[in-house]
Amino acid sequence: MESTRIRVASFAFVIALLLSGASAGSISIYWGQNGNEATLADTCSTGNFAFVMISFLTAFGNGQTTVLNLAGHCDPSSGGCKSLSTDINSCQSSGVKVLLSLGGASGSYSIVSADDAQNVATYLWNNYLGGQSDNRPLGDAVLDGIDFDIEATTEHWDDLAKALSALSTSSKKVYLSAAPQCPYPDSHLGTALQTGLFDSVWIQFYNNGQCEYANGDASNLVNSWNQWTTSVTTVETQGFFLGLPASSAAAGSGFIPAATLISDVLPQIKTSSKYGGLMLWNKYYDEQTGYSTAIKGSV
């Protein structure tokens, strides 16, 4: 009888370990919008992040001149951001995927046709991904993919996703991610996300009162999370990330204290087989609070 109890306990322990591993996630973070934050290389060397999104390419499409805005980090127009190539290579050598984020809350960007989407994809390929250009803004480093943080216009983002996905090769995949707002479906990226071409989706559960954590209540957040994870298909099995501000100052609403996130919110969303981890906005605010370090062991 005693040996039977030991075998049952051992079996339960193994199952618990397997379930724990299945729900383990990673952290992605946006970098580039505050010149007072750590360098890109130092961001990756923390070991806290699996993805870093360089933000933002704020102007592109519709025949306009592209603009890369990295706040106070460097000046792309003078070639001052090419030195980031060394940082990007350092990040990638430590296993961190580095993506270029398109759009943001402000800027001048739009895709006006399928042909325009193809032109933008070609530009991104030649200047940031695996193609060739005489004037690559970030130097010779080859980024891992493209992030869609689209908060303006609604059309042809699906065409851009298709055009970028078609550029993947057997030796170098073009990784695609998106950062929709938590109300489902997203008013800008809804059609694009239905293509099923995005590897990861980091949903912004902030600045959206109807689907964020508020006043000790996670029900709106959890309901929205469940709707997203049952309505959208991602390339990666564990492709959905809970997007949060890294401090109360990083967004108008939606911040969740680390202890509350760990004790109340994560246990409810990690039950999904599609759970991939957390996305944080942004590196500067994370440095002020130590948020990623506080939550890493529980993600």
Side-chain angles (χ1 to χ4, degrees):
M1 180 67 71
E2 184 65 26
S3 61
T4 300
R5 282 197 297 267
I6 292 173
R7 285 196 299 271
V8 170
S10 298
F11 179 74
F13 177 71
V14 170
I15 293 299
L17 284 177
L18 290 173
L19 290 174
S20 174
S23 63
S26 57
I27 304 175
S28 62
I29 197 160
Y30 282 86
W31 177 93
Q33 283 300 292
N34 193 305
N36 294 317
E37 66 196 352
T39 66
L40 181 59
D42 286 345
T43 296
C44 295
S45 69
T46 64
N48 287 355
F49 311 112
F51 305 89
V52 176
M53 289 74 74
I54 296 176
S55 53
F56 292 104
L57 191 70
T58 57
F60 59 89
N62 198 19
Q64 65 183 307
T65 300
T66 57
V67 175
L68 177 66
N69 180 346
L70 296 183
H73 284 286
C74 55
D75 178 15
S77 64
S78 65
C81 296
K82 292 187 177 184
S83 60
L84 285 175
S85 186
T86 300
D87 287 37
I88 294 166
N89 289 330
S90 174
C91 290
Q92 292 171 330
S93 67
S94 62
V96 179
K97 284 185 171 63
V98 184
L99 284 67
L100 174 67
S101 187
L102 309 181
S106 61
S108 172
Y109 55 90
S110 64
I111 303 290
V112 297
S113 67
D115 286 342
D116 192 24
Q118 184 62 61
N119 290 338
V120 171
T122 300
Y123 169 81
L124 294 172
W125 173 256
N126 287 334
N127 288 276
Y128 293 98
L129 300 170
Q132 299 292 324
S133 170
D134 293 333
N135 188 28
R136 291 172 64 93
L138 301 178
D140 293 334
V142 176
L143 296 181
D144 293 290
I146 302 296
D147 174 62
F148 288 51
D149 186 5
I150 303 303
E151 302 181 35
T153 78
T154 61
E155 296 182 349
H156 301 294
W157 300 115
D158 56 333
D159 292 319
L160 181 58
K162 292 172 185 176
L164 287 168
S165 179
L167 295 171
S168 289
T169 66
S170 57
S171 60
K172 184 65 175 178
K173 173 182 171 61
V174 176
Y175 197 96
L176 298 181
S177 64
Q181 307 290 314
C182 58
Y184 182 85
D186 182 80
S187 59
H188 304 295
L189 286 170
T191 302
L193 289 167
Q194 290 303 319
T195 63
L197 296 174
F198 288 87
D199 297 274
S200 294
V201 178
W202 8 88
I203 308 160
Q204 298 184 47
F205 285 95
Y206 50 94
N207 295 333
N208 288 287
Q210 67 269 44
C211 50
E212 67 186 23
Y213 179 92
N215 302 317
D217 184 3
S219 59
N220 287 342
L221 182 153
V222 173
N223 289 338
S224 177
W225 170 266
N226 290 337
Q227 185 171 25
W228 274 98
T229 56
T230 56
S231 303
V232 173
T233 300
T234 55
V235 174
E236 298 287 335
T237 302
Q238 294 172 303
F240 288 89
F241 287 61
L242 177 71
L244 296 175
S247 80
S248 58
S253 61
F255 175 68
I256 306 175
T260 303
L261 176 73
I262 293 168
S263 65
D264 184 22
V265 179
L266 286 180
Q268 298 187 69
I269 68 169
K270 289 178 73 173
T271 57
S272 170
S273 61
K274 297 182 179 181
Y275 169 80
L278 263 70
M279 174 273 280
L280 296 179
W281 174 264
N282 61 25
K283 183 59 174 72
Y284 173 76
Y285 293 107
D286 183 57
E287 290 172 15
Q288 310 309 305
T289 61
Y291 199 79
S292 63
T293 299
I295 65 173
K296 181 185 176 185
S298 301
V299 171

